[in-house]
Amino acid sequence: SRTLQNLGILFDTNLSFHAHITEVTKTAFFHLRNITKIRSCLSKADPETLIHAFVSSELDYCNVSFSGLPKYNLKKLQMVQSAAARVLTNTRKFDSMTSVLFYFTGFLFMHHVTLRCFY
């Protein structure tokens, strides 16, 4: 489908933001992979700073435009946040996320988008 970029957001003809979410997800996972590769060379606080600089900023930029999107679109962004939480807590892919997500309760994307839409 045709897309148009304005202020860093990719708009498609259906306003589904599929292209934008795909691009944000791809960029965020790229940064998370790089942070994971250099994690052993960093201090304990550095991965959190890098994740906030490269990943959280990507997810937060114009996230009010994601309100009202279907859950399957928002799930992709939630997967990025779960992966970021795994990098921060050094949790493996198949470990339980219950305790990790409980720790990051204010960090959950779907909840964050829903709250932002009402302010």
Side-chain angles (χ1 to χ4, degrees):
S1 73
R2 286 185 73 197
T3 59
L4 170 74
Q5 185 170 1
N6 189 12
L7 296 174
I9 298 178
L10 291 170
F11 293 93
D12 57 7
T13 54
N14 299 327
L15 288 178
S16 67
F17 294 100
H18 178 73
H20 179 69
I21 291 173
T22 301
E23 188 63 30
V24 166
T25 304
K26 185 170 64 170
T27 303
F29 276 121
F30 169 78
H31 289 300
L32 286 173
R33 276 190 301 275
N34 287 336
I35 292 167
T36 302
K37 288 178 185 177
I38 64 168
R39 183 182 178 90
S40 61
C41 302
L42 301 173
S43 71
K44 191 169 184 161
D46 289 340
E48 183 177 354
T49 304
L50 291 172
I51 286 173
H52 283 299
F54 293 113
V55 178
S56 297
S57 61
E58 281 280 329
L59 294 176
D60 282 342
Y61 181 69
C62 292
N63 67 358
V64 73
S65 60
F66 300 144
S67 65
L69 289 180
K71 285 189 178 187
Y72 68 86
N73 273 335
L74 295 178
K75 186 175 181 185
K76 293 178 185 179
L77 299 171
Q78 183 64 54
M79 286 173 45
V80 171
Q81 276 195 322
S82 295
R86 286 185 192 283
V87 170
L88 282 178
T89 58
N90 211 11
T91 308
R92 293 178 302 179
K93 185 175 181 178
F94 296 106
D95 288 346
S96 173
M97 283 296 291
T98 306
S99 60
V100 174
L101 291 178
F102 181 75
Y103 179 74
F104 291 104
T105 312
F107 195 64
L108 297 176
F109 186 79
M110 285 189 218
H111 180 70
H112 190 64
V113 168
T114 307
L115 288 179
R116 275 236 175 130
C117 296
F118 296 110
Y119 295 111

